Amino acid sequence: MNSSVSPTHGEQEMSVWNGHYACTCYHPLFVFNQFGDLERCALRAGNVHGADGWKDVLDPVVLHEFAAGVVLGARSAGEHAAMWMTKM
């Protein structure tokens, strides 16, 4: 799980100035699997914190994999919450 910056030009909805990146942008959040495939993402306003809304993005991925009997190990980047789960 990691966030990124996506600069914008014009007046797109949710495109907001981000002082850290010094641009008007979106601040999307991504969840990738161990193979580098995108599992889920969320387009967020440009001025939100990097970890804002992480649980709402990650929960559906965890529930889907857990229901399928997959043993999960998750690593997060930056300020995102780290978690390890195993199905007994």
Side-chain angles (χ1 to χ4, degrees):
M1 174 177 280
N2 207 350
S3 64
S4 182
V5 63
S6 182
T8 60
H9 306 283
E11 297 182 22
Q12 291 89 348
E13 188 176 344
M14 293 182 5
S15 178
V16 184
W17 177 260
N18 184 308
H20 177 74
Y21 294 110
C23 67
T24 302
C25 62
Y26 295 119
H27 197 183
L29 188 60
F30 301 98
V31 177
F32 295 96
N33 65 21
Q34 70 271 28
F35 306 109
D37 300 324
L38 181 65
E39 292 282 339
R40 191 170 176 90
C41 64
L43 183 62
R44 306 177 304 163
N47 61 349
V48 298
H49 185 271
D52 197 50
W54 70 269
K55 192 172 183 333
D56 294 331
V57 177
L58 185 60
D59 275 354
V61 175
V62 171
L63 292 173
H64 178 287
E65 298 298 330
F66 194 72
V70 175
V71 176
L72 297 175
R75 179 185 64 80
S76 68
E79 63 278 350
H80 298 97
M83 154 188 88
W84 294 94
M85 291 181 61
T86 347
K87 182 175 181 185
M88 299 286 186

